[in-house]
Amino acid sequence: MTTLSTAGQVLRCFSARRQELTVTEVAELLSLPKSNVSRLLRAMREAGFLESVPDSRGYRPGILMFELGHRYRRDSALVARAHAAVGRVSRQFGHSGYVSLRDGADVIGLTFHEGSRMLRVGTPVGQRLPAFAAASGRSLLARLTDEEVRRLHPAPLLPPSPNAPQDMAELLRRLEAVRRDGFATAVDESNPGVGSIAVAVGGRQPDEDACLCIVYPLSLVDEPERERMTAALLAEAREIQARPGAPERAAPRSAAA
């Protein structure tokens, strides 16, 4: 593993639940010698990727990472359009909405619209979830071929709940349904009591695809409202893809198609 790839692995260790990390914690998470990790974290701090936490031995992402993240949100036309689209659907129905991206086998919420209803649900922006066990993730995985999905998951799936796909065969069946219907749904999967609807919009490359997602408390939403939210997300996705300059890369068909 090169120094650059190891630095990338270090940055992936941070999450909404792990906003600060020590040398010991990073060494344990990456199964690396503490001496190597200590040198790497110091170098990343000097380069601006990390900063030391005052009165602590911990590190956290540096201002450079913060600036790059905001620049990416601002400069990505697809993300900007998706963010505006999710905002309209969120305001219409009062539920929280996300724009999410896929990073390998994970899905990450990039932007967030807080719902207006008294009872709201959601996952912190930046938190990683296994893509196979989230509506947003499956909407993005469905943009890949079955073989590409298999390569992303060389080990057996570890479903977080009984409602998530339990193995690769079930995952591929669900992805085929997403390709057919144009949207993905999840009920009681990564987050108990939470439902979600997701529609992907294609970028120029698979790793540039984005997802429009609405999350809602299962106790408050009936089937007619779910259908209306799904229709609204699909309409917004069609509008994004129909705009001048939008890429025309289509989602693949399954191997059986």
Side-chain angles (χ1 to χ4, degrees), residues 167-179:
D167 54 32
M168 180 57 64
E170 183 180 352
L171 172 60
L172 295 180
R173 286 195 298 270
R174 293 206 196 182
L175 295 184
E176 176 56 22
V178 175
R179 297 176 188 126

Side-chain angles (χ1 to χ4, degrees), residues 53-250:
V53 179
D55 302 319
S56 167
R57 295 183 179 181
Y59 291 85
R60 63 191 177 198
I63 189 65
L64 176 61
M65 304 306 299
F66 177 83
E67 292 172 343
L68 289 174
H70 278 266
R71 190 170 300 139
Y72 177 83
R73 293 186 190 185
R74 185 185 67 240
D75 294 344
S76 171
L78 180 61
V79 170
R81 291 173 180 175
H83 181 69
V86 168
R88 287 189 288 270
V89 180
S90 176
R91 289 190 295 273
Q92 179 181 353
F93 294 96
H95 299 299
S96 300
Y98 293 87
V99 175
S100 299
L101 303 178
R102 182 181 60 82
D103 182 22
D106 294 337
V107 65
I108 305 170
L110 186 66
T111 73
F112 175 68
H113 287 276
E114 186 173 12
S116 58
R117 297 201 182 186
M118 185 67 69
L119 180 58
R120 299 184 292 272
V121 295
T123 301
V125 169
Q127 180 174 330
R128 290 174 175 268
L129 294 173
F132 81 89
S136 55
R138 288 196 294 273
S139 74
L140 294 166
L141 288 174
R143 305 282 300 176
L144 306 176
T145 65
D146 286 356
E147 184 55 38
E148 288 171 327
V149 173
R150 289 190 184 96
R151 286 200 296 269
L152 282 176
H153 302 87
L157 303 183
L158 298 175
S161 76
N163 288 346
Q166 300 298 295
D167 54 32
M168 180 57 64
E170 183 180 352
L171 172 60
L172 295 180
R173 286 195 298 270
R174 293 206 196 182
L175 295 184
E176 176 56 22
V178 175
R179 297 176 188 126
R180 179 191 68 233
D181 300 334
F183 63 92
T185 61
V187 174
D188 270 330
E189 289 194 32
S190 295
N191 295 304
V194 175
S196 55
I197 306 166
V199 178
V201 287
R204 299 187 182 280
Q205 299 296 328
D207 58 359
E208 296 175 357
D209 294 344
C211 166
L212 321 179
C213 184
I214 293 293
V215 296
Y216 55 89
L218 289 171
S219 60
L220 296 186
V221 176
D222 57 17
E223 185 59 29
E225 184 175 7
R226 281 192 290 271
E227 291 178 354
R228 291 193 296 273
M229 289 192 291
T230 301
L233 287 173
L234 287 169
E236 291 287 356
R238 286 193 295 269
E239 175 65 21
I240 290 172
Q241 299 284 196
R243 292 189 181 187
E248 298 181 356
R249 186 175 62 83

Side-chain angles (χ1 to χ4, degrees), residues 29-65:
L29 288 167
L30 300 182
S31 299
L32 293 173
K34 287 178 61 176
S35 57
N36 293 6
V37 170
S38 179
R39 288 193 296 270
L40 176 60
L41 296 189
R42 286 199 302 270
M44 293 177 69
R45 181 189 60 197
E46 292 168 2
F49 296 114
L50 299 176
E51 63 183 26
S52 298
V53 179
D55 302 319
S56 167
R57 295 183 179 181
Y59 291 85
R60 63 191 177 198
I63 189 65
L64 176 61
M65 304 306 299

